[in-house]
Amino acid sequence: MIVAQARAVTRNFGSFTAVDRVDLDVSSGEIVGLLGANGAGKTTLIKMLLGLLAPTSGSIALFGEPQRAQQRRRIGYVAQNLGLYPDLTVAENLEFRAQIFGTTPSVEMATGDGTDLLVRELPLGMQRRASFTVAIQHRPDLLILDEPTSGVSPLARSELWDMMRREADRGAGVLVSTHYMDEAVHADRLLVMAGGSIVAAGSVGEIIGSRRTLLVRTDRWAEAFTLLDDSDYSVILDGRDLRVLMRSDDDARAVIGLLEGAGVAVQTTVGPATLDETMVELST
Amino acid sequence: MKAMIVKEFRQMRRDKRAMGLMIGLPVMLLVIFGYAARFDVGQIQTVVVGPNAVQVSQSLDSAYDVVEVDETGDRQAVERMLRNSEVEVGIVTGTGSSTMLVDGSELFVAQSALRRIPPATQPEVLFNPNLDTAPVMVPALIGLILLFIGTVVTSLGVVREREQGTLEQLAVMPLRPVDVIVGKIAPYFLVALFDMAVVTIAGLLLFNVPFVGSWLVFGLFGLVFLFVVLGLGVAISTVSKSQGEAVQLAIMTLLPQIMLSGMIFPLESMAAGVRWIGYLLPLTWFIKGARGEFLKGPDFSALALPLALLTLMAAVVFGVAMYRFRGDLAPKRGDAAQEAPFTPAASS
């Protein structure tokens, strides 16, 4: 079942278009990752799905129906800024939310010994976990998370993704935005946003497709980087190696020619592009 | 250093609220202390009654603004007029000496009158015979405390929800906007009522302030005034992005009320333009009602105008504030095009 659907959704702020004709589907039991740099339009899209912002044009349906206030009972939302009361304990935050949703507080699910601590006294990783627990304690059918792993340690991020997977396995549709490319593998499906539009969709492999990268190794890496960057190549510095995204098969020859023409000796190999490199290309 | 100064001026120029405070506050203080801050009242509203009323009224100092001369009137009629704040001084003439009845609840007016006692006249101060400060200040202080809780504390409480992102969470929960609004404001309302009770009891017990009026009417004034100030607080919160902004705005609404409401400086001593600003402030009308109930116990009809004005202010301010607050909890459809409802595709 499709729990969230958007069709040609657009949101303008004055003359600025934050979200531009976006289509989106989230089904029960799947995790959809919304990838994009800051300012790509992820949060605006999420706010429209939550009913916090009205689309300028286009349509949104939740659980097969147009958006209605009654659907909020079936939605869980983890905001980028936590959305917890910092001057209440975790247990009090859980209790407050449980009372509103008419459920029992799931204290045992929260932060263990930290439940009686004020939220502001907890480290960020535990705050995010508490925020997640608060959002899912009423067992929502649609779980929307805006950058839920932002600023937390790799271990805490893995735990949060485990929790999201458990929610999807339970049957919830999960939409999660992130700008961490390495987290994309945890999602069942990805939507890549740039400039307010969806510029790519599918699995990591599908999004990367046939894109290739030329790995350039040279002692004069700084000079090589400047040369390639000045020539409008999409180049990333990986340690002392340069990774140049190839737009065509001719790019390898051209890059080598450019560098050797400038007296820079190089060793090169061609390999598949990473998601990061693909994102750089898609975002430009 | 030059860079620092230039940077500071740039930031100052872009902080419109701070600029308003820096420019608006000195202008406000200039107006207040130039035109409002006078303790000596030059226009004392006076009634003269009794057999020699005409003669005595013609011999009075120019500070006495004689609004009524009644040769058939008596002391009882003058006391009623004073109680209902129709006049501030009443002179009861007789065949021999006269009696000047002075409204002691108008402290500075009374002091001005007592400095200008007409010849062969015995002064008598009613409602606050010793011209004590506490009986006059306690009712006004109750208003000030309600004002503080209503505007400063309430606006901070609502802005904090927005800063923390919890207002957004409330908007996506299964709550009606009215649930959020009432749930948010009710605690401040109750705390303000509690404070009102505490200050009133403290005034009665510690400062021996009399209360001769109707508790019901006093409570009604407090209730209506609370709606105005809570509305002000919520309205401030809807236009403030941070708690700092909310405090700045709250100060700008508090200061004129403290200075121009008649709490400290008598309204009668202010220049006409400034006095009219005072008439637009809710604290002015609460103080009139509260001082009346504490010290004089006027007829209800005498307080009908202050109560009606406060109610009007409550309806407008509270109504606008709730409308704006509701906008924070529901999507803004301002520039959203209305389209035909979307029919979702079949599940896959």
Side-chain angles (χ1 to χ4, degrees):
Chain A
M1 181 196 179
I2 295 177
V3 292
Q5 191 168 49
R7 287 292 177 270
V9 162
T10 299
R11 174 71 198 202
N12 297 329
F13 293 101
S15 60
F16 173 70
T17 301
V19 172
D20 191 9
R21 300 191 64 77
V22 164
D23 292 338
L24 168 146
D25 291 300
V26 180
S27 297
S28 298
E30 72 167 346
I31 299 178
V32 176
L34 198 54
L35 289 184
N38 289 332
K42 306 186 298 289
T43 299
T44 303
L45 177 60
I46 282 174
K47 286 191 173 179
M48 286 192 283
L49 290 169
L50 289 164
L52 291 168
L53 277 176
T56 304
S57 62
S59 316
I60 291 171
L62 300 178
F63 315 111
E65 296 173 342
Q67 281 173 302
R68 286 184 298 136
Q70 291 84 341
Q71 293 163 337
R72 293 179 194 158
R73 215 164 266 289
R74 301 175 67 185
I75 300 172
Y77 171 45
V78 178
Q80 199 172 348
N81 55 5
L82 294 172
L84 296 175
Y85 291 99
D87 45 357
L88 295 186
T89 66
V90 176
E92 286 165 344
N93 270 285
L94 282 162
E95 185 190 344
F96 169 66
R97 203 71 71 96
Q99 281 173 349
I100 286 172
F101 281 92
T103 57
T104 47
S106 16
V107 175
E108 75 281 359
M109 293 166 64
T111 49
D113 293 336
T115 50
D116 290 327
L117 290 175
L118 298 179
V119 166
R120 64 166 177 246
E121 293 170 344
L122 296 171
L124 184 59
M126 285 176 84
Q127 288 182 351
R128 291 232 174 261
R129 216 175 122 192
S131 172
F132 191 90
T133 308
V134 166
I136 62 168
Q137 72 172 343
H138 62 287
R139 297 187 164 266
D141 296 319
L142 171 61
L143 182 59
I144 296 177
L145 307 99
D146 192 7
E147 309 262 1
T149 57
S150 193
V152 300
S153 69
L155 180 64
R157 279 162 60 184
S158 298
E159 284 174 358
L160 286 167
W161 278 99
D162 280 348
M163 292 168 86
M164 281 184 250
R165 175 54 64 193
R166 281 201 293 276
E167 284 304 294
D169 290 346
R170 180 179 60 75
V174 180
L175 177 68
V176 52
S177 77
T178 181
H179 60 259
Y180 292 125
M181 295 306 136
D182 56 323
E183 292 184 341
V185 291
H186 298 296
D188 299 313
R189 204 153 52 79
L190 297 172
L191 298 171
V192 180
M193 284 192 83
S197 302
I198 302 280
V199 292
S203 64
V204 173
E206 286 167 344
I207 287 172
I208 294 173
S210 58
R211 289 182 178 83
R212 293 282 181 273
T213 297
L214 181 70
L215 182 69
V216 178
R217 192 159 287 171
T218 172
D219 291 337
R220 294 164 62 186
W221 54 271
E223 191 181 342
F225 182 88
T226 307
L227 276 168
L228 292 169
D229 196 40
D230 289 348
S231 304
D232 285 337
Y233 282 99
S234 178
V235 56
I236 295 172
L237 201 55
D238 180 13
R240 288 160 56 95
D241 295 340
L242 307 179
R243 295 181 66 90
V244 187
L245 193 70
M246 294 165 59
R247 298 176 194 120
S248 70
D249 290 341
D250 294 336
D251 271 359
R253 268 197 303 278
V255 166
I256 294 165
L258 175 71
L259 295 174
E260 290 189 337
V264 179
V266 295
Q267 288 179 310
T268 59
T269 50
V270 174
T274 63
L275 187 59
D276 276 307
E277 289 156 356
T278 307
M279 286 290 293
V280 171
E281 193 211 344
L282 289 170
S283 302
T284 51
Chain B
M1 190 205 288
K2 184 187 163 198
M4 195 67 198
I5 292 168
V6 170
K7 186 257 327 167
E8 209 59 35
F9 270 118
R10 278 183 179 150
Q11 286 179 306
M12 237 186 254
R13 202 181 61 213
R14 283 173 194 152
D15 187 349
K16 291 189 172 56
R17 292 235 167 81
M19 281 296 275
L21 206 62
M22 284 187 287
I23 295 168
L25 200 63
V27 172
M28 195 194 296
L29 292 174
L30 191 72
V31 168
I32 288 169
F33 289 103
Y35 297 102
R38 292 177 193 159
F39 294 112
D40 190 39
V41 180
Q43 291 264 295
I44 304 165
Q45 295 202 313
T46 309
V47 62
V48 188
V49 301
N52 293 333
V54 175
Q55 193 185 341
V56 170
S57 69
Q58 285 167 350
S59 68
L60 287 175
D61 184 291
S62 62
Y64 290 98
D65 177 18
V66 180
V67 294
E68 194 176 327
V69 179
D70 182 1
E71 288 177 298
T72 60
D74 57 8
R75 180 186 170 110
Q76 207 179 352
V78 170
E79 282 187 10
R80 195 183 62 250
M81 289 178 86
L82 287 167
R83 187 174 299 110
N84 290 340
S85 300
E86 292 167 30
V87 290
E88 290 146 347
V89 164
I91 299 173
V92 184
T93 63
T95 47
S97 66
S98 303
T99 306
M100 183 172 80
L101 302 178
V102 179
D103 181 354
S105 73
E106 299 286 345
L107 207 56
F108 298 111
V109 180
Q111 285 171 349
S112 293
L114 292 174
R115 279 197 292 271
R116 300 176 174 92
I117 301 169
T121 303
Q122 282 298 316
E124 185 180 335
V125 179
L126 304 180
F127 315 126
N128 181 19
N130 300 324
L131 290 180
D132 293 328
T133 308
V136 177
M137 286 311 286
V138 166
L141 270 179
I142 293 170
L144 185 63
I145 286 162
L146 294 185
L147 186 64
F148 180 77
I149 294 174
T151 50
V152 182
V153 183
T154 307
S155 65
L156 287 179
V158 179
V159 171
R160 196 162 49 235
E161 289 264 9
R162 189 177 293 115
E163 277 186 325
Q164 289 167 180
T166 44
L167 198 63
E168 192 179 88
Q169 284 287 339
L170 294 173
V172 298
M173 286 185 202
L175 288 168
R176 293 171 304 166
V178 66
D179 295 331
V180 178
I181 292 168
V182 174
K184 187 72 203 170
I185 294 172
Y188 296 104
F189 189 85
L190 294 174
V191 169
L193 280 183
F194 175 76
D195 280 350
M196 184 175 160
V198 168
V199 179
T200 304
I201 292 167
L204 297 176
L205 299 182
L206 299 179
F207 298 102
N208 297 318
V209 176
F211 189 95
V212 299
S214 155
W215 286 108
L216 190 71
V217 176
F218 174 63
L220 197 60
F221 264 93
L223 207 65
V224 177
F225 182 62
L226 250 183
F227 273 102
V228 185
V229 294
L230 284 172
L232 261 179
V234 174
I236 287 171
S237 75
T238 62
V239 293
S240 306
K241 291 190 189 77
S242 66
Q243 295 186 58
E245 279 187 14
V247 169
Q248 280 181 4
L249 270 179
I251 288 172
M252 292 187 86
T253 59
L254 275 175
L255 258 182
Q257 305 221 53
I258 294 169
M259 299 298 197
L260 303 179
S261 62
M263 179 181 168
I264 301 169
F265 307 109
L267 277 170
E268 292 77 3
S269 70
M270 296 176 193
V274 180
R275 195 187 317 147
W276 275 99
I277 297 173
Y279 290 145
L280 294 174
L281 304 173
L283 188 61
T284 303
W285 301 107
F286 174 80
I287 288 175
K288 277 201 184 299
R291 276 186 183 154
E293 291 306 321
F294 262 83
L295 301 174
K296 301 198 285 185
D299 299 336
F300 184 75
S301 61
L303 292 178
L305 179 68
L307 194 58
L309 287 170
L310 263 186
T311 308
L312 181 70
M313 287 179 190
V316 173
V317 175
F318 198 75
V320 169
M322 292 308 112
Y323 175 78
R324 289 191 57 90
F325 191 25
R326 199 183 185 286
D328 285 344
L329 299 167
K332 292 170 181 61
R333 305 213 166 255
D335 56 347
Q338 293 299 313
E339 286 202 345
F342 167 64
T343 309
S347 302
S348 56

